[in-house]
Amino acid sequence: MREDVVAGLSQRICDHMNSDHADAVAHLCMFHARLPRLPPWSAMESISATTMVLQYKSPEAEYDASSARLCTIHISFDPPLESSMDARKRLVAMSRESEEQNRNHYKQHSAEWNMQVILEKTDYFLTSPITVVMLVSLLAGSHRVMRMTNSPSTWNGMAMFHTAFKILAAICLVFYLCHLVQHISCAWANAAPVPANTAHWPSWLWTTLTRRTLPALTSETWKNQTVVITGGSNGLGASVAKLLLERGAKVISLDKSKPSFKHMNMSTYHCDVSKQHELTSVARSIISTHGSPTIVINNAGMRNGLPLLALPNDALRSTIETNTLAHFWILKEFLPHMVAEKKGHVVTISSLLGYTSVAQLTDYVASKHALVGLHESLRFELDTIYRTPYVRTTLVTTGQLDETNMFAGIQYNRLARFVAPSVQVGRVAKAIVDALEKQESRTIIIPWYVAAAPLLRVLPSFLHDGIQRALGANHSMSSLISKQRERTTSTS
């Protein structure tokens, strides 16, 4: 067994980092612990060839004395460090990457006013009952004044205000109609089967629109849920897993990477989900040990980011197998039990790129388009062939997640950051768990521009191309790949 030369220099390296590079340690803590800002205190405790241990005080400790306890994070080195020089190079590269990612995080969240925020605040204002009451009162008042006045100038002035109020009322009505259509769509997707007797249709319709078909999961019923998550070690999968564990569910993660956290109610299986034979063996082990899962979350994914002609065949095959075929293998292993029990939940994680396309992601885009088709076809089969409407299906399509490594470091122009901001992982994770908790089939679309993406297909080509060019979409991967090459060069 090779001697760990780095561990022998642990104290020396830690003292050097804590005294001369305290800012780098703080950035490492913020990035790897997913903190909202730099911690008020941080330090490197130890380092070995395989692991680095950091301690920090939570940013909330500045304002809340009860949260002043020290937190510890373990950062793994893969491959292991081979020498003190290798440790120096790796720490420099990791510090630079962490600082860059933290800077991007600040940019995303300091520029609070983007299109998503504007739409959310507008929706909140226009659908508020106070706004509606005020608008109706102003419309009635202006109409009454117009009827009572005899002065042409006063009448014209009030007519302008009355017209403005009517336009605002029309906009409010559009927002209300959108919410109504969304409610009806969700109710229909989760409705009980339509009764054969037409005399029962009115009561069925009323029940569908006003009540949940299935009861929401409680703290007791969550304990009976067994959840299988692919790619549950990091990123979105880990965030969802943590929320499920908080509710008392049993979580089983399938991943090639080491888990970023541990929990007494979580089991981790080292599995390459793109390999059918490997997945089949693990699935049988899960069923024999834990029983058949009641919830399956197909989350694992990867990307290459190369133009088609530069994409190696093995890389192309790996993307399709991991992002698409793995979903089929998972479903063929675990769906039969759900169909037999006539209940369960399947969550499919797709992407904005399941509806639109960009350059240098041909394999990734194709795989995500396939998942949208898989979700829709599966829903039709469950309803019409297997007659199991209570096996719920949820499709998740999001923009770029700002706390994962999938597209970390990608650069956007100012217009793209305003129109198409990234979304926080926690927000998506909460939406997924909410659908699971309420036992509802849903299409989770976050943020707003994901819903608009399918409309690009019906636009004239010159408008579609113009939007892509204005947002710099077809060149965003080039900046990311070049940065990755720079980091590789600096660490070699």
Side-chain angles (χ1 to χ4, degrees):
M1 185 175 180
R2 181 184 298 177
E3 181 184 359
D4 190 344
V5 296
V6 178
L9 300 172
S10 176
Q11 190 61 48
R12 179 180 173 185
I13 295 175
C14 291
D15 291 343
H16 173 67
M17 292 294 294
N18 293 332
S19 60
D20 297 342
H21 302 285
D23 56 339
V25 176
H27 276 289
L28 285 169
C29 289
M30 177 181 171
F31 176 67
H32 289 277
R34 308 298 186 192
L35 302 177
R37 56 186 181 276
L38 291 174
W41 179 89
S42 60
M44 180 183 291
E45 286 298 303
S46 65
I47 185 171
S48 66
T50 58
T51 309
M52 172 172 57
V53 180
L54 305 179
Q55 285 192 332
Y56 66 92
K57 287 184 179 179
S58 171
E60 285 74 20
E62 294 180 295
Y63 314 106
D64 183 5
S66 64
S67 62
R69 63 182 181 84
L70 293 180
C71 302
T72 303
I73 54 174
H74 297 259
I75 303 173
S76 300
F77 295 114
D78 187 16
L81 302 176
E82 297 181 352
S83 64
S84 59
M85 183 58 68
D86 185 25
R88 179 181 180 277
K89 290 183 178 180
R90 201 86 66 87
L91 286 173
V92 168
M94 291 174 64
S95 300
R96 287 177 178 173
E97 182 180 10
S98 298
E99 186 173 356
E100 181 181 350
Q101 294 304 316
N102 293 339
R103 191 183 303 115
N104 291 337
H105 179 84
Y106 279 130
K107 286 181 179 179
Q108 292 285 349
H109 294 84
S110 61
E112 291 187 5
W113 286 99
N114 54 50
M115 186 62 73
Q116 178 69 24
V117 173
I118 291 173
L119 288 174
E120 288 177 353
K121 290 184 180 296
T122 302
D123 178 74
Y124 177 80
F125 172 75
L126 293 179
T127 57
S128 169
I130 297 177
T131 302
V132 174
V133 171
M134 289 180 60
L135 188 58
V136 171
S137 300
L138 289 171
L139 277 171
S142 62
H143 182 70
R144 184 177 180 182
V145 171
M146 287 172 60
R147 291 182 59 184
M148 295 176 60
T149 185
N150 294 321
S151 171
S153 59
T154 304
W155 194 94
N156 290 334
M158 291 306 303
M160 292 177 59
F161 280 107
H162 190 69
T163 302
F165 294 150
K166 287 199 293 185
I167 293 174
L168 187 58
I171 296 174
C172 286
L173 182 61
V174 169
F175 274 78
Y176 270 105
L177 287 175
C178 288
H179 282 279
L180 179 61
V181 169
Q182 187 177 14
H183 173 73
I184 294 174
S185 176
C186 183
W188 176 263
N190 295 283
V194 181
N197 188 345
T198 56
H200 297 158
W201 284 7
S203 61
W204 170 84
L205 181 60
W206 175 255
T207 302
T208 297
L209 293 176
T210 59
R211 299 179 186 173
R212 288 199 187 101
T213 309
L214 296 178
L217 296 177
T218 64
S219 57
E220 290 300 318
T221 52
W222 265 119
K223 296 178 182 178
N224 301 324
Q225 303 299 314
T226 302
V227 186
V228 169
I229 305 179
T230 62
S233 294
N234 299 281
L236 177 60
S239 296
V240 174
K242 290 175 182 178
L243 292 177
L244 293 172
L245 290 167
E246 288 176 2
R247 283 160 173 77
K250 180 191 296 182
V251 176
I252 302 168
S253 172
L254 277 59
D255 207 314
K256 294 190 297 183
S257 304
K258 294 180 180 179
S260 58
F261 69 100
K262 294 181 180 180
H263 193 280
M264 60 180 297
N265 220 19
M266 180 175 177
S267 302
T268 302
Y269 287 80
H270 184 274
C271 177
D272 185 349
V273 295
S274 66
K275 310 301 181 186
Q276 185 181 9
H277 65 279
E278 188 174 332
L279 181 57
T280 300
S281 176
V282 170
R284 290 175 180 173
S285 176
I286 290 173
I287 293 174
S288 63
T289 305
H290 306 280
S292 296
T294 56
I295 297 171
V296 170
I297 303 176
N298 276 314
N299 169 69
M302 62 165 293
R303 59 94 182 151
N304 290 300
L306 296 173
L308 179 61
L309 298 183
L311 188 63
N313 291 340
D314 290 342
L316 170 59
R317 185 177 297 107
S318 182
T319 301
I320 299 302
E321 289 176 344
T322 302
N323 293 6
T324 304
L325 292 181
H327 288 241
F328 286 88
W329 310 145
I330 287 283
L331 290 175
K332 289 178 76 69
E333 294 296 333
F334 297 129
L335 187 61
H337 177 77
M338 294 184 185
V339 171
E341 294 293 322
K342 297 186 181 298
K343 61 181 180 180
H345 208 133
V346 176
V347 179
T348 302
I349 309 295
S350 183
S351 165
L352 160 70
L353 296 179
Y355 297 127
T356 187
S357 306
V358 296
Q360 290 189 231
L361 285 172
T362 51
D363 54 338
Y364 184 84
V365 168
S367 69
K368 293 302 182 179
H369 272 68
L371 294 184
V372 175
L374 168 62
H375 164 80
E376 294 176 350
S377 295
L378 177 62
R379 181 70 268 159
F380 291 140
E381 288 188 4
L382 291 172
D383 286 342
T384 61
I385 296 179
Y386 302 112
R387 306 288 182 181
T388 54
Y390 297 145
V391 177
R392 302 305 200 190
T393 56
T394 291
L395 176 66
V396 182
T397 53
T398 73
Q400 182 194 344
L401 301 177
D402 64 1
E403 298 170 38
T404 67
N405 296 325
M406 182 72 75
F407 293 98
I410 196 168
Q411 298 293 315
Y412 297 103
N413 61 35
R414 184 173 298 179
L415 177 62
R417 291 197 300 270
F418 175 78
V419 176
S422 61
V423 61
Q424 291 182 322
V425 167
R427 180 181 177 188
V428 179
K430 289 178 182 177
I432 293 172
V433 174
D434 185 66
L436 297 176
E437 191 164 58
K438 294 178 179 176
Q439 300 197 78
E440 293 181 348
S441 293
R442 292 185 186 175
T443 299
I444 297 174
I445 299 175
I446 304 175
W448 76 274
Y449 54 86
V450 179
L455 301 177
L456 294 174
R457 295 181 181 277
V458 301
L459 292 178
S461 59
F462 63 89
L463 285 179
H464 191 171
D465 291 349
I467 293 173
Q468 296 274 105
R469 182 173 298 179
L471 297 177
N474 292 323
H475 299 285
S476 56
M477 285 304 300
S478 299
S479 63
L480 178 58
I481 298 301
S482 63
K483 284 182 175 294
Q484 289 176 338
R485 288 172 180 167
E486 290 175 4
R487 293 192 190 106
T488 302
T489 302
S490 65
T491 56
S492 61

